[in-house]
Amino acid sequence: MALVSAAEMLTKAREGKYAVGAFNTNNLEWTKAILKGAQESNAPVMIQTSMGAAKYMGGYQMCVHMVEDLIESMNITVPVALHLDHGEYEDALKCIEIGYTSVMYDGSHHPFEKNIEEAKDVVAKAHAKGVSVECEVGSIGGEEDGIIGSGELADPAECKAMSDTGIDFLAAGIGNIHGSYPENWTGLSFETLAEIAAVTDGKPLVLHGGSGIPVEQVQKAISLGVSKINVNTECQEVFAAATRKYIEEGKDLEGKGFDPRKLLAPGTEAVVELVKQRIEWFGSKGKA
């Protein structure tokens, strides 16, 4: 199945009160794991690359070819969108041109007027090629590719203005953060989320920093309009833990256990299982 825009899958998710998992990939193994987990769950999925991860993997064109080729070789039949996560303006435009089917233009660190202006331009260029667009209002806490936010709550009026640019889905700060959540985290602001949902005309909303939020809060957010949930840190954590266990047990010293195909297998399988579990959490199992 060819890569698809995320617009339709997220509109269906919003209407059906479930969310599509958007999993960041960092290499070949992770991409295979995300696709396998989605296929086994019969769930639509978004594979995301941050700007830094795409550079690490050899560039945006490489990422497009890798995902497209794996979809074919793995006989993937569920809908898959390839999405740029937290893209700068020029990066978003480049990804639109070379084959990404969805992009996030993140201008949240700019003055609001510039964020809106550049969002409108990205939307026009993306929609001309059938590419879906996500934009952000109010920075998300934590750090993502060098972009640091304090996790403030987004202004619903600004969310409406951004929604009115024609974007397909909206990311807004509701107390969520990137990375691991600290012990003193106060939780998501469902009041803010409800206010944003009320003024954005049923537009799918995005929950960044989906790693570490309790399932009860995740599912309440979905009931209030969240239709896309980003997961990255938890995949990194389970991959590292499984790889560490393999080495600490000395399995890399048994026969050809040092072979990368064997060394990386436990971590890869851990990502598959996490993807499947999160798809269950989000209610998207069987929704392909």
PDB file of all heavy atoms in Angstrom, residues 226-259:
ATOM      1  N   VAL A 226      -8.485  14.669  21.087  1.00  0.00           N
ATOM      2  CA  VAL A 226      -7.137  14.289  20.644  1.00  0.00           C
ATOM      3  C   VAL A 226      -7.233  13.083  19.715  1.00  0.00           C
ATOM      4  O   VAL A 226      -7.844  12.073  20.058  1.00  0.00           O
ATOM      5  CB  VAL A 226      -6.230  13.978  21.850  1.00  0.00           C
ATOM      6  CG1 VAL A 226      -4.977  13.230  21.406  1.00  0.00           C
ATOM      7  CG2 VAL A 226      -5.850  15.268  22.569  1.00  0.00           C
ATOM      8  N   SER A 227      -6.644  13.202  18.526  1.00  0.00           N
ATOM      9  CA  SER A 227      -6.762  12.159  17.502  1.00  0.00           C
ATOM     10  C   SER A 227      -5.412  11.629  17.029  1.00  0.00           C
ATOM     11  O   SER A 227      -5.357  10.693  16.241  1.00  0.00           O
ATOM     12  CB  SER A 227      -7.527  12.711  16.292  1.00  0.00           C
ATOM     13  OG  SER A 227      -8.725  13.333  16.695  1.00  0.00           O
ATOM     14  N   LYS A 228      -4.330  12.246  17.490  1.00  0.00           N
ATOM     15  CA  LYS A 228      -2.967  11.818  17.141  1.00  0.00           C
ATOM     16  C   LYS A 228      -2.130  11.934  18.404  1.00  0.00           C
ATOM     17  O   LYS A 228      -2.134  12.968  19.065  1.00  0.00           O
ATOM     18  CB  LYS A 228      -2.391  12.712  16.037  1.00  0.00           C
ATOM     19  CG  LYS A 228      -0.897  12.522  15.745  1.00  0.00           C
ATOM     20  CD  LYS A 228      -0.451  13.490  14.638  1.00  0.00           C
ATOM     21  CE  LYS A 228       1.020  13.340  14.276  1.00  0.00           C
ATOM     22  NZ  LYS A 228       1.908  14.148  15.142  1.00  0.00           N
ATOM     23  N   ILE A 229      -1.427  10.852  18.734  1.00  0.00           N
ATOM     24  CA  ILE A 229      -0.595  10.861  19.935  1.00  0.00           C
ATOM     25  C   ILE A 229       0.829  10.457  19.558  1.00  0.00           C
ATOM     26  O   ILE A 229       1.057   9.408  18.965  1.00  0.00           O
ATOM     27  CB  ILE A 229      -1.148   9.911  21.013  1.00  0.00           C
ATOM     28  CG1 ILE A 229      -2.571  10.343  21.395  1.00  0.00           C
ATOM     29  CG2 ILE A 229      -0.242   9.902  22.244  1.00  0.00           C
ATOM     30  CD1 ILE A 229      -3.247   9.464  22.424  1.00  0.00           C
ATOM     31  N   ASN A 230       1.772  11.328  19.913  1.00  0.00           N
ATOM     32  CA  ASN A 230       3.175  11.104  19.569  1.00  0.00           C
ATOM     33  C   ASN A 230       3.872  10.266  20.636  1.00  0.00           C
ATOM     34  O   ASN A 230       3.741  10.544  21.836  1.00  0.00           O
ATOM     35  CB  ASN A 230       3.908  12.436  19.445  1.00  0.00           C
ATOM     36  CG  ASN A 230       3.473  13.242  18.242  1.00  0.00           C
ATOM     37  OD1 ASN A 230       2.486  12.924  17.584  1.00  0.00           O
ATOM     38  ND2 ASN A 230       4.208  14.293  17.934  1.00  0.00           N
ATOM     39  N   VAL A 231       4.622   9.273  20.180  1.00  0.00           N
ATOM     40  CA  VAL A 231       5.369   8.399  21.093  1.00  0.00           C
ATOM     41  C   VAL A 231       6.796   8.268  20.574  1.00  0.00           C
ATOM     42  O   VAL A 231       7.012   7.875  19.427  1.00  0.00           O
ATOM     43  CB  VAL A 231       4.725   6.998  21.199  1.00  0.00           C
ATOM     44  CG1 VAL A 231       5.521   6.131  22.167  1.00  0.00           C
ATOM     45  CG2 VAL A 231       3.268   7.094  21.640  1.00  0.00           C
ATOM     46  N   ASN A 232       7.766   8.593  21.422  1.00  0.00           N
ATOM     47  CA  ASN A 232       9.167   8.438  21.047  1.00  0.00           C
ATOM     48  C   ASN A 232       9.997   7.959  22.236  1.00  0.00           C
ATOM     49  O   ASN A 232      10.635   6.915  22.178  1.00  0.00           O
ATOM     50  CB  ASN A 232       9.723   9.761  20.504  1.00  0.00           C
ATOM     51  CG  ASN A 232      11.166   9.634  20.021  1.00  0.00           C
ATOM     52  OD1 ASN A 232      11.624   8.547  19.683  1.00  0.00           O
ATOM     53  ND2 ASN A 232      11.889  10.734  19.997  1.00  0.00           N
ATOM     54  N   THR A 233       9.957   8.706  23.340  1.00  0.00           N
ATOM     55  CA  THR A 233      10.814   8.389  24.485  1.00  0.00           C
ATOM     56  C   THR A 233      10.608   6.972  24.990  1.00  0.00           C
ATOM     57  O   THR A 233      11.580   6.254  25.283  1.00  0.00           O
ATOM     58  CB  THR A 233      10.568   9.390  25.628  1.00  0.00           C
ATOM     59  OG1 THR A 233      10.877  10.716  25.161  1.00  0.00           O
ATOM     60  CG2 THR A 233      11.426   9.069  26.837  1.00  0.00           C
ATOM     61  N   GLU A 234       9.357   6.529  25.080  1.00  0.00           N
ATOM     62  CA  GLU A 234       9.103   5.170  25.583  1.00  0.00           C
ATOM     63  C   GLU A 234       9.703   4.114  24.667  1.00  0.00           C
ATOM     64  O   GLU A 234      10.199   3.081  25.144  1.00  0.00           O
ATOM     65  CB  GLU A 234       7.605   4.941  25.761  1.00  0.00           C
ATOM     66  CG  GLU A 234       7.043   5.631  26.983  1.00  0.00           C
ATOM     67  CD  GLU A 234       5.546   5.441  27.133  1.00  0.00           C
ATOM     68  OE1 GLU A 234       4.826   5.521  26.119  1.00  0.00           O
ATOM     69  OE2 GLU A 234       5.098   5.216  28.261  1.00  0.00           O
ATOM     70  N   CYS A 235       9.677   4.350  23.365  1.00  0.00           N
ATOM     71  CA  CYS A 235      10.314   3.401  22.440  1.00  0.00           C
ATOM     72  C   CYS A 235      11.820   3.357  22.687  1.00  0.00           C
ATOM     73  O   CYS A 235      12.428   2.279  22.686  1.00  0.00           O
ATOM     74  CB  CYS A 235      10.032   3.805  20.991  1.00  0.00           C
ATOM     75  SG  CYS A 235       8.326   3.542  20.455  1.00  0.00           S
ATOM     76  N   GLN A 236      12.409   4.527  22.904  1.00  0.00           N
ATOM     77  CA  GLN A 236      13.843   4.571  23.185  1.00  0.00           C
ATOM     78  C   GLN A 236      14.164   3.818  24.476  1.00  0.00           C
ATOM     79  O   GLN A 236      15.156   3.084  24.553  1.00  0.00           O
ATOM     80  CB  GLN A 236      14.304   6.023  23.288  1.00  0.00           C
ATOM     81  CG  GLN A 236      14.217   6.787  21.971  1.00  0.00           C
ATOM     82  CD  GLN A 236      14.619   8.242  22.121  1.00  0.00           C
ATOM     83  OE1 GLN A 236      14.615   8.803  23.216  1.00  0.00           O
ATOM     84  NE2 GLN A 236      14.947   8.869  21.013  1.00  0.00           N
ATOM     85  N   GLU A 237      13.315   3.998  25.476  1.00  0.00           N
ATOM     86  CA  GLU A 237      13.570   3.363  26.772  1.00  0.00           C
ATOM     87  C   GLU A 237      13.483   1.843  26.695  1.00  0.00           C
ATOM     88  O   GLU A 237      14.355   1.135  27.235  1.00  0.00           O
ATOM     89  CB  GLU A 237      12.581   3.902  27.804  1.00  0.00           C
ATOM     90  CG  GLU A 237      12.836   5.357  28.188  1.00  0.00           C
ATOM     91  CD  GLU A 237      11.737   5.951  29.057  1.00  0.00           C
ATOM     92  OE1 GLU A 237      10.628   5.374  29.088  1.00  0.00           O
ATOM     93  OE2 GLU A 237      11.980   6.992  29.693  1.00  0.00           O
ATOM     94  N   VAL A 238      12.452   1.312  26.032  1.00  0.00           N
ATOM     95  CA  VAL A 238      12.315  -0.154  25.989  1.00  0.00           C
ATOM     96  C   VAL A 238      13.380  -0.766  25.082  1.00  0.00           C
ATOM     97  O   VAL A 238      13.857  -1.876  25.347  1.00  0.00           O
ATOM     98  CB  VAL A 238      10.898  -0.596  25.549  1.00  0.00           C
ATOM     99  CG1 VAL A 238       9.854  -0.107  26.546  1.00  0.00           C
ATOM    100  CG2 VAL A 238      10.566  -0.165  24.131  1.00  0.00           C
ATOM    101  N   PHE A 239      13.754  -0.049  24.022  1.00  0.00           N
ATOM    102  CA  PHE A 239      14.816  -0.535  23.140  1.00  0.00           C
ATOM    103  C   PHE A 239      16.134  -0.633  23.913  1.00  0.00           C
ATOM    104  O   PHE A 239      16.837  -1.645  23.845  1.00  0.00           O
ATOM    105  CB  PHE A 239      14.973   0.395  21.937  1.00  0.00           C
ATOM    106  CG  PHE A 239      15.968  -0.079  20.920  1.00  0.00           C
ATOM    107  CD1 PHE A 239      15.569  -0.894  19.871  1.00  0.00           C
ATOM    108  CD2 PHE A 239      17.308   0.279  20.998  1.00  0.00           C
ATOM    109  CE1 PHE A 239      16.484  -1.341  18.922  1.00  0.00           C
ATOM    110  CE2 PHE A 239      18.226  -0.169  20.059  1.00  0.00           C
ATOM    111  CZ  PHE A 239      17.814  -0.983  19.010  1.00  0.00           C
ATOM    112  N   ALA A 240      16.450   0.411  24.669  1.00  0.00           N
ATOM    113  CA  ALA A 240      17.699   0.430  25.439  1.00  0.00           C
ATOM    114  C   ALA A 240      17.694  -0.641  26.517  1.00  0.00           C
ATOM    115  O   ALA A 240      18.698  -1.339  26.723  1.00  0.00           O
ATOM    116  CB  ALA A 240      17.898   1.810  26.062  1.00  0.00           C
ATOM    117  N   ALA A 241      16.566  -0.809  27.196  1.00  0.00           N
ATOM    118  CA  ALA A 241      16.489  -1.791  28.281  1.00  0.00           C
ATOM    119  C   ALA A 241      16.672  -3.210  27.761  1.00  0.00           C
ATOM    120  O   ALA A 241      17.398  -4.020  28.365  1.00  0.00           O
ATOM    121  CB  ALA A 241      15.152  -1.667  28.999  1.00  0.00           C
ATOM    122  N   ALA A 242      16.040  -3.536  26.637  1.00  0.00           N
ATOM    123  CA  ALA A 242      16.154  -4.885  26.080  1.00  0.00           C
ATOM    124  C   ALA A 242      17.563  -5.156  25.564  1.00  0.00           C
ATOM    125  O   ALA A 242      18.096  -6.265  25.709  1.00  0.00           O
ATOM    126  CB  ALA A 242      15.134  -5.075  24.961  1.00  0.00           C
ATOM    127  N   THR A 243      18.167  -4.134  24.968  1.00  0.00           N
ATOM    128  CA  THR A 243      19.536  -4.285  24.465  1.00  0.00           C
ATOM    129  C   THR A 243      20.513  -4.454  25.630  1.00  0.00           C
ATOM    130  O   THR A 243      21.426  -5.295  25.582  1.00  0.00           O
ATOM    131  CB  THR A 243      19.936  -3.058  23.620  1.00  0.00           C
ATOM    132  OG1 THR A 243      18.982  -2.889  22.566  1.00  0.00           O
ATOM    133  CG2 THR A 243      21.310  -3.237  23.011  1.00  0.00           C
ATOM    134  N   ARG A 244      20.321  -3.667  26.685  1.00  0.00           N
ATOM    135  CA  ARG A 244      21.179  -3.776  27.865  1.00  0.00           C
ATOM    136  C   ARG A 244      21.077  -5.173  28.489  1.00  0.00           C
ATOM    137  O   ARG A 244      22.081  -5.782  28.846  1.00  0.00           O
ATOM    138  CB  ARG A 244      20.779  -2.717  28.904  1.00  0.00           C
ATOM    139  CG  ARG A 244      21.680  -2.720  30.147  1.00  0.00           C
ATOM    140  CD  ARG A 244      21.192  -1.746  31.219  1.00  0.00           C
ATOM    141  NE  ARG A 244      21.037  -0.408  30.672  1.00  0.00           N
ATOM    142  CZ  ARG A 244      19.870   0.194  30.506  1.00  0.00           C
ATOM    143  NH1 ARG A 244      18.747  -0.428  30.839  1.00  0.00           N
ATOM    144  NH2 ARG A 244      19.820   1.405  30.018  1.00  0.00           N
ATOM    145  N   LYS A 245      19.868  -5.700  28.575  1.00  0.00           N
ATOM    146  CA  LYS A 245      19.657  -7.024  29.163  1.00  0.00           C
ATOM    147  C   LYS A 245      20.387  -8.090  28.350  1.00  0.00           C
ATOM    148  O   LYS A 245      21.025  -8.992  28.908  1.00  0.00           O
ATOM    149  CB  LYS A 245      18.160  -7.329  29.213  1.00  0.00           C
ATOM    150  CG  LYS A 245      17.788  -8.663  29.864  1.00  0.00           C
ATOM    151  CD  LYS A 245      16.274  -8.768  30.003  1.00  0.00           C
ATOM    152  CE  LYS A 245      15.861 -10.037  30.744  1.00  0.00           C
ATOM    153  NZ  LYS A 245      16.069 -11.244  29.934  1.00  0.00           N
ATOM    154  N   TYR A 246      20.312  -7.992  27.037  1.00  0.00           N
ATOM    155  CA  TYR A 246      20.968  -8.951  26.145  1.00  0.00           C
ATOM    156  C   TYR A 246      22.478  -8.969  26.393  1.00  0.00           C
ATOM    157  O   TYR A 246      23.103 -10.037  26.493  1.00  0.00           O
ATOM    158  CB  TYR A 246      20.667  -8.552  24.695  1.00  0.00           C
ATOM    159  CG  TYR A 246      21.269  -9.443  23.631  1.00  0.00           C
ATOM    160  CD1 TYR A 246      20.617 -10.596  23.195  1.00  0.00           C
ATOM    161  CD2 TYR A 246      22.489  -9.115  23.035  1.00  0.00           C
ATOM    162  CE1 TYR A 246      21.157 -11.396  22.205  1.00  0.00           C
ATOM    163  CE2 TYR A 246      23.033  -9.911  22.033  1.00  0.00           C
ATOM    164  CZ  TYR A 246      22.368 -11.050  21.629  1.00  0.00           C
ATOM    165  OH  TYR A 246      22.905 -11.841  20.634  1.00  0.00           O
ATOM    166  N   ILE A 247      23.056  -7.774  26.538  1.00  0.00           N
ATOM    167  CA  ILE A 247      24.509  -7.685  26.725  1.00  0.00           C
ATOM    168  C   ILE A 247      24.898  -8.097  28.144  1.00  0.00           C
ATOM    169  O   ILE A 247      25.879  -8.820  28.346  1.00  0.00           O
ATOM    170  CB  ILE A 247      24.994  -6.251  26.406  1.00  0.00           C
ATOM    171  CG1 ILE A 247      24.820  -5.977  24.903  1.00  0.00           C
ATOM    172  CG2 ILE A 247      26.449  -6.062  26.809  1.00  0.00           C
ATOM    173  CD1 ILE A 247      25.100  -4.553  24.503  1.00  0.00           C
ATOM    174  N   GLU A 248      24.129  -7.652  29.131  1.00  0.00           N
ATOM    175  CA  GLU A 248      24.464  -7.995  30.516  1.00  0.00           C
ATOM    176  C   GLU A 248      24.379  -9.496  30.772  1.00  0.00           C
ATOM    177  O   GLU A 248      25.091 -10.026  31.628  1.00  0.00           O
ATOM    178  CB  GLU A 248      23.546  -7.241  31.475  1.00  0.00           C
ATOM    179  CG  GLU A 248      23.882  -5.753  31.567  1.00  0.00           C
ATOM    180  CD  GLU A 248      22.955  -4.994  32.497  1.00  0.00           C
ATOM    181  OE1 GLU A 248      21.883  -5.548  32.861  1.00  0.00           O
ATOM    182  OE2 GLU A 248      23.290  -3.850  32.860  1.00  0.00           O
ATOM    183  N   GLU A 249      23.530 -10.172  30.011  1.00  0.00           N
ATOM    184  CA  GLU A 249      23.423 -11.631  30.141  1.00  0.00           C
ATOM    185  C   GLU A 249      24.500 -12.354  29.339  1.00  0.00           C
ATOM    186  O   GLU A 249      24.557 -13.591  29.335  1.00  0.00           O
ATOM    187  CB  GLU A 249      22.039 -12.090  29.696  1.00  0.00           C
ATOM    188  CG  GLU A 249      20.923 -11.658  30.653  1.00  0.00           C
ATOM    189  CD  GLU A 249      19.545 -12.069  30.179  1.00  0.00           C
ATOM    190  OE1 GLU A 249      19.418 -12.548  29.022  1.00  0.00           O
ATOM    191  OE2 GLU A 249      18.581 -11.928  30.965  1.00  0.00           O
ATOM    192  N   GLY A 250      25.360 -11.573  28.668  1.00  0.00           N
ATOM    193  CA  GLY A 250      26.482 -12.153  27.926  1.00  0.00           C
ATOM    194  C   GLY A 250      26.107 -12.815  26.618  1.00  0.00           C
ATOM    195  O   GLY A 250      26.915 -13.564  26.036  1.00  0.00           O
ATOM    196  N   LYS A 251      24.916 -12.562  26.125  1.00  0.00           N
ATOM    197  CA  LYS A 251      24.474 -13.234  24.905  1.00  0.00           C
ATOM    198  C   LYS A 251      25.229 -12.764  23.674  1.00  0.00           C
ATOM    199  O   LYS A 251      25.300 -13.484  22.668  1.00  0.00           O
ATOM    200  CB  LYS A 251      22.967 -13.033  24.722  1.00  0.00           C
ATOM    201  CG  LYS A 251      22.144 -13.762  25.782  1.00  0.00           C
ATOM    202  CD  LYS A 251      20.652 -13.605  25.578  1.00  0.00           C
ATOM    203  CE  LYS A 251      19.881 -14.358  26.654  1.00  0.00           C
ATOM    204  NZ  LYS A 251      18.411 -14.193  26.507  1.00  0.00           N
ATOM    205  N   ASP A 252      25.815 -11.575  23.749  1.00  0.00           N
ATOM    206  CA  ASP A 252      26.619 -11.098  22.626  1.00  0.00           C
ATOM    207  C   ASP A 252      27.933 -11.852  22.518  1.00  0.00           C
ATOM    208  O   ASP A 252      28.618 -11.782  21.485  1.00  0.00           O
ATOM    209  CB  ASP A 252      26.893  -9.594  22.756  1.00  0.00           C
ATOM    210  CG  ASP A 252      27.618  -9.257  24.046  1.00  0.00           C
ATOM    211  OD1 ASP A 252      27.235  -9.782  25.111  1.00  0.00           O
ATOM    212  OD2 ASP A 252      28.586  -8.463  23.989  1.00  0.00           O
ATOM    213  N   LEU A 253      28.283 -12.592  23.559  1.00  0.00           N
ATOM    214  CA  LEU A 253      29.535 -13.367  23.567  1.00  0.00           C
ATOM    215  C   LEU A 253      29.314 -14.839  23.250  1.00  0.00           C
ATOM    216  O   LEU A 253      30.263 -15.615  23.218  1.00  0.00           O
ATOM    217  CB  LEU A 253      30.216 -13.238  24.943  1.00  0.00           C
ATOM    218  CG  LEU A 253      30.526 -11.797  25.392  1.00  0.00           C
ATOM    219  CD1 LEU A 253      31.105 -11.806  26.799  1.00  0.00           C
ATOM    220  CD2 LEU A 253      31.468 -11.118  24.407  1.00  0.00           C
ATOM    221  N   GLU A 254      28.055 -15.221  23.037  1.00  0.00           N
ATOM    222  CA  GLU A 254      27.726 -16.606  22.714  1.00  0.00           C
ATOM    223  C   GLU A 254      27.653 -16.776  21.199  1.00  0.00           C
ATOM    224  O   GLU A 254      26.805 -16.166  20.542  1.00  0.00           O
ATOM    225  CB  GLU A 254      26.385 -16.984  23.349  1.00  0.00           C
ATOM    226  CG  GLU A 254      26.382 -16.909  24.878  1.00  0.00           C
ATOM    227  CD  GLU A 254      24.999 -17.148  25.460  1.00  0.00           C
ATOM    228  OE1 GLU A 254      24.050 -17.389  24.675  1.00  0.00           O
ATOM    229  OE2 GLU A 254      24.856 -17.068  26.697  1.00  0.00           O
ATOM    230  N   GLY A 255      28.520 -17.605  20.665  1.00  0.00           N
ATOM    231  CA  GLY A 255      28.532 -17.815  19.222  1.00  0.00           C
ATOM    232  C   GLY A 255      28.702 -16.500  18.480  1.00  0.00           C
ATOM    233  O   GLY A 255      29.634 -15.739  18.758  1.00  0.00           O
ATOM    234  N   LYS A 256      27.784 -16.240  17.552  1.00  0.00           N
ATOM    235  CA  LYS A 256      27.829 -14.977  16.823  1.00  0.00           C
ATOM    236  C   LYS A 256      26.768 -14.005  17.359  1.00  0.00           C
ATOM    237  O   LYS A 256      26.125 -13.273  16.608  1.00  0.00           O
ATOM    238  CB  LYS A 256      27.632 -15.217  15.326  1.00  0.00           C
ATOM    239  CG  LYS A 256      28.829 -15.906  14.671  1.00  0.00           C
ATOM    240  CD  LYS A 256      28.720 -15.887  13.157  1.00  0.00           C
ATOM    241  CE  LYS A 256      29.981 -16.457  12.526  1.00  0.00           C
ATOM    242  NZ  LYS A 256      29.928 -16.398  11.035  1.00  0.00           N
ATOM    243  N   GLY A 257      26.626 -13.990  18.673  1.00  0.00           N
ATOM    244  CA  GLY A 257      25.669 -13.098  19.296  1.00  0.00           C
ATOM    245  C   GLY A 257      25.984 -11.634  19.125  1.00  0.00           C
ATOM    246  O   GLY A 257      25.137 -10.774  19.383  1.00  0.00           O
ATOM    247  N   PHE A 258      27.207 -11.346  18.677  1.00  0.00           N
ATOM    248  CA  PHE A 258      27.605  -9.961  18.424  1.00  0.00           C
ATOM    249  C   PHE A 258      27.089  -9.456  17.075  1.00  0.00           C
ATOM    250  O   PHE A 258      27.180  -8.265  16.784  1.00  0.00           O
ATOM    251  CB  PHE A 258      29.130  -9.834  18.459  1.00  0.00           C
ATOM    252  CG  PHE A 258      29.828 -10.803  17.538  1.00  0.00           C
ATOM    253  CD1 PHE A 258      29.943 -10.555  16.178  1.00  0.00           C
ATOM    254  CD2 PHE A 258      30.360 -11.990  18.037  1.00  0.00           C
ATOM    255  CE1 PHE A 258      30.572 -11.448  15.331  1.00  0.00           C
ATOM    256  CE2 PHE A 258      30.990 -12.901  17.190  1.00  0.00           C
ATOM    257  CZ  PHE A 258      31.094 -12.625  15.831  1.00  0.00           C
ATOM    258  N   ASP A 259      26.579 -10.347  16.241  1.00  0.00           N
ATOM    259  CA  ASP A 259      26.018  -9.961  14.945  1.00  0.00           C
ATOM    260  C   ASP A 259      24.928  -8.912  15.178  1.00  0.00           C
ATOM    261  O   ASP A 259      24.015  -9.136  15.979  1.00  0.00           O
ATOM    262  CB  ASP A 259      25.418 -11.207  14.276  1.00  0.00           C
ATOM    263  CG  ASP A 259      24.915 -10.931  12.866  1.00  0.00           C
ATOM    264  OD1 ASP A 259      24.374  -9.829  12.616  1.00  0.00           O
ATOM    265  OD2 ASP A 259      25.046 -11.823  12.013  1.00  0.00           O
TER     266      ASP A 259
END
